[in-house]
Amino acid sequence: MSLLDHKKALLLCAGIVVIGGGIFAVTAHSKSTKTAAAQHLNLYQTATISSLDVSKITDNISSNTLSQVGEGLYRLNANSQAENALATKTTVSDNGHQYTINLRHDGKWSNGDPVTAQNFVYSWERTLNPKSKSEFTYQFANIKNANAIAAGKKSPSTLGVKAVGKYQLKITLSQPASYFKKMLASTTYYPLNEKAVNKYGSKYGSSAKTTVYNGPFTLANWSGTSDNWTLKKNATYAEAKSVKLQSIDYKVIKDSTTAYNLYQSKKLDQVTLSGEQTTQNKNNANLKSLSAGRIGFIQYNENNKVAANQDLRTAISLAVNRQQLATKVLKNGSVPAKTFGVHDMMKNPKTGADFTSDAYTKGTVDYAPAQAKKLYQSALKQLGKKAVTLTITCGNDDASQNIAEFVQSAITSKLGAKVEVRAMPFPSMLSNVSKGNFQLNLTSWGMDYADPIQSLQILQSANNSNMGHYDSKAYDGALKAAEGTDALNKTARYQDLVTAAQTALKDQAVTPLYESRTSSLVNPKVKGVVYNKFNGDADYRTAYVAN
């Protein structure tokens, strides 16, 4: 994943710490009965859909919408494990390099066409074609020739994916990946109806009328810029019998107070809360805390002599009281970070322990102001300075600035260093950081699927997202083993990832601060929504309104 190329993650970097930004709310404003005909929900988003074209989607709201009106080979269950959707049987061979996937024969597009293996081949080749300018080509990196195609060095037709007959797909990987099925559940891997794309041309996916669907719902009343739209049950969906909802209405509500007031007046059945609202409702039985699959952290510019000092970086980490940050500043259910990752990414194959617990390294992310002070003095001696002035670059949204000011206060009061906060609009912050025009940068990283490689990979020395220029042979070696020789050995790969995470903590490659979460109030009448434990995404395919 690249901070430069992954706009979905980047746009959320500034917004995810805005409590509840971009999450949904659910309501039942029709009379609840047990009959499917009466099933209706109202939901809200904080912005409109930008696109429903698989190759053009860059934001979370559009991706979430596509996941309701489209369907891929697999879907993720509540535990972030891949389950069959259009796939019926998967055979892995050639030491993990070959996937043979049989498709169900009753998949249908809303225009009446069958969903075939060729729809996937066409979609993936189109996304990787440089003409599409997709920002998610990195997700295909494991497939043979994908990187060369995205770079314009090979033809899309050379991609390691072929349709064998109408309902079988063969995928050849350049390197095996134990998490590949999870990746295939992403909307980036959804199929496309070539006939519809050719019919609508560049307008495909830009409105409800210029898009075709193969998921639980179809879309209506979306013009491309609408602040209101409707999902309707898709009668041609292969598993239509499992879909109880008849329709879902969305509207854009940008202000969290407005949404909260609507919930309070019983006009919404679910609302995402701000930090203050979460505190007010801490004893409410309907309060739900959801993971955001995102890690907040400080990255350092190691091309800067001061920021490159390891003792200084560790001193900063030990000066920050992460529990206070979570409970006094964020106040949205976010929890202190124990490593550069989040809970529920992976479990120890032998003990069942969470990866974050095994990767935790004492003396790296603990609150230890006395030790922090000693390390700071050691850093000053190494730098030949009596004092240093540090600059934290961050987004200019309220939440980011609040976090930056908390860190500023911790460093100033516990270490004695002078700290300046340099807040700016998120695009400007990204531009400055990508050019190396920063010393310390407060940011966050969102993960597409539940595997530690999603966060750890950005600290590899050659990764475009390694904007702090961290360079460790031990770290790179551990990840190389995890993705290479140990890729299909669960125990060995797990230990490789733990080793990499612990190496980054000891080196203080970045300073992990918090695992982001969101809090919502939910009307208990809304049942059957599947919330992904890893990132909080909601699947309404089996949702319904109880009496």
Side-chain angles (χ1 to χ4, degrees):
M1 181 184 298
S2 166
L3 277 171
L4 289 174
D5 295 336
H6 189 184
K7 191 176 290 182
K8 181 183 87 171
L10 289 174
L11 291 177
L12 287 175
C13 278
I16 196 69
V17 291
V18 178
I19 313 306
I23 308 297
F24 48 82
V26 183
T27 190
H29 72 152
S30 60
K31 185 177 180 181
S32 297
T33 72
K34 293 183 179 180
T35 61
Q39 298 298 304
H40 177 82
L41 303 178
N42 276 348
L43 291 77
Y44 81 88
Q45 293 280 17
T46 57
T48 190
I49 304 166
S50 64
S51 176
L52 286 178
D53 185 334
V54 170
S55 301
K56 296 179 181 179
I57 287 177
T58 59
D59 65 287
N60 198 43
I61 291 172
S62 298
S63 181
N64 283 344
T65 304
L66 181 59
S67 71
Q68 307 298 335
V69 299
E71 188 160 76
L73 295 166
Y74 310 100
R75 67 177 68 94
L76 296 181
N77 63 18
N79 293 317
S80 298
Q81 299 303 308
E83 294 183 341
N84 285 344
L86 283 167
T88 59
K89 179 183 178 181
T90 303
T91 303
V92 183
S93 58
D94 190 19
N95 294 318
H97 286 82
Q98 188 81 44
Y99 279 67
T100 302
I101 305 172
N102 293 343
L103 276 61
R104 59 190 304 158
H105 293 196
D106 55 356
K108 292 284 186 181
W109 291 101
S110 55
N111 65 358
D113 290 346
V115 180
T116 67
Q118 183 57 35
N119 292 156
F120 287 92
V121 176
Y122 171 72
S123 176
W124 301 358
E125 290 182 354
R126 178 176 179 267
T127 295
L128 282 164
N129 191 322
K131 293 180 180 179
S132 293
K133 298 181 180 180
S134 172
E135 300 189 15
F136 286 81
T137 57
Y138 72 91
Q139 281 204 22
F140 293 89
N142 290 94
I143 301 179
K144 183 179 178 181
N145 293 332
N147 288 339
I149 295 168
K153 296 179 180 179
K154 287 192 175 184
S155 166
S157 63
T158 65
L159 183 66
V161 57
K162 302 297 178 187
V164 181
K166 200 170 183 178
Y167 297 108
Q168 189 178 81
L169 201 62
K170 282 190 178 291
I171 307 170
T172 303
L173 303 187
S174 56
Q175 62 181 32
S178 59
Y179 48 86
F180 188 59
K181 286 177 68 173
K182 294 180 184 178
M183 294 184 69
L184 290 175
S186 165
T187 55
T188 303
Y189 281 94
Y190 275 17
L192 274 173
N193 184 297
E194 185 173 3
K195 184 172 75 176
V197 174
N198 289 335
K199 176 180 179 179
Y200 298 117
S202 62
K203 292 183 178 180
Y204 181 81
S206 64
S207 69
K209 293 181 179 180
T210 58
T211 310
V212 294
Y213 316 96
N214 74 314
F217 304 97
T218 60
L219 187 64
N221 305 322
W222 176 60
S223 66
T225 57
S226 314
D227 282 344
N228 298 275
W229 59 90
T230 301
L231 299 187
K232 295 183 178 181
K233 180 176 178 177
N234 184 0
T236 65
Y237 177 56
E239 297 183 29
K241 291 182 179 179
S242 67
V243 181
K244 300 178 177 65
L245 295 175
Q246 292 297 307
S247 59
I248 308 174
D249 281 338
Y250 280 88
K251 64 179 177 179
V252 174
I253 303 176
K254 297 181 179 180
D255 182 64
S256 63
T257 300
T258 299
Y260 183 65
N261 289 339
L262 288 171
Y263 176 86
Q264 294 287 65
S265 60
K266 298 184 179 180
K267 294 180 181 179
L268 289 175
D269 281 328
Q270 180 166 333
V271 61
T272 299
L273 303 177
S274 69
E276 291 298 332
Q277 293 164 353
T278 300
T279 300
Q280 295 169 12
N281 288 277
K282 62 182 181 180
N283 297 320
N284 193 321
N286 297 322
L287 183 67
K288 180 184 289 290
S289 180
L290 300 172
S291 173
R294 180 169 293 274
I295 181 76
F297 61 99
I298 300 170
Q299 63 180 339
Y300 303 91
N301 184 357
E302 295 200 30
N303 286 336
N304 176 279
K305 183 178 180 180
V306 174
N309 186 279
Q310 184 175 327
D311 280 353
L312 174 66
R313 298 197 303 269
T314 305
I316 291 171
S317 181
L318 300 184
V320 177
N321 188 325
R322 290 165 175 77
Q323 189 61 53
Q324 281 192 1
L325 173 62
T327 57
K328 303 295 184 183
V329 180
L330 295 171
K331 297 186 288 188
N332 62 344
S334 295
V335 298
K338 300 173 70 174
T339 187
F340 191 52
V342 299
H343 282 77
D344 296 310
M345 294 186 300
M346 182 180 285
K347 303 294 183 183
N348 187 317
K350 287 187 175 181
T351 68
D354 193 85
F355 177 83
T356 56
S357 296
D358 284 343
Y360 163 74
T361 303
K362 187 176 181 179
T364 61
V365 291
D366 308 285
Y367 178 53
Q371 179 63 15
K373 185 70 173 179
K374 290 179 181 179
L375 287 169
Y376 176 61
Q377 292 302 319
S378 174
L380 291 180
K381 186 175 181 180
Q382 294 168 34
L383 293 167
K385 295 178 178 291
K386 293 183 178 180
V388 294
T389 298
L390 304 174
T391 301
I392 300 175
T393 299
C394 68
N396 64 351
D397 58 281
D398 290 343
S400 292
Q401 291 189 76
N402 287 341
I403 297 170
E405 289 169 4
F406 180 86
V407 173
Q408 175 190 43
S409 176
I411 296 173
T412 301
S413 62
K414 303 305 177 186
L415 303 183
K418 183 178 180 181
V419 181
E420 298 174 353
V421 173
R422 185 183 177 212
M424 58 186 69
F426 187 77
S428 297
M429 185 197 81
L430 175 60
S431 177
N432 276 276
V433 171
S434 65
K435 293 175 182 176
N437 184 20
F438 77 102
Q439 189 178 43
L440 280 65
N441 173 224
L442 177 68
T443 187
S444 67
W445 184 263
M447 284 151 275
D448 297 313
Y449 52 88
D451 191 278
I453 195 67
Q454 275 279 283
S455 53
L456 296 178
Q457 66 182 347
I458 73 172
L459 297 180
Q460 288 178 294
S461 58
N463 194 294
N464 289 335
S465 298
N466 182 9
M467 296 185 185
H469 306 289
Y470 172 61
D471 191 349
S472 165
K473 290 182 179 179
Y475 185 87
D476 287 353
L479 287 193
K480 183 178 180 180
E483 295 299 275
T485 55
D486 296 336
L488 300 181
N489 184 324
K490 289 184 178 181
T491 301
R493 181 174 184 269
Y494 182 83
Q495 188 54 53
D496 291 334
L497 295 172
V498 168
T499 297
Q502 291 179 337
T503 300
L505 284 174
K506 292 172 184 176
D507 292 346
Q508 209 63 213
V510 293
T511 293
L513 295 175
Y514 62 92
E515 294 183 34
S516 186
R517 298 183 68 87
T518 58
S519 295
S520 299
L521 287 179
V522 183
N523 187 322
K525 288 186 177 181
V526 180
K527 304 286 188 179
V529 181
V530 177
Y531 297 102
N532 188 299
K533 186 187 297 184
F534 167 66
N535 61 14
D537 282 352
D539 182 355
Y540 295 97
R541 187 175 62 92
T542 57
Y544 64 97
V545 182
N547 283 329

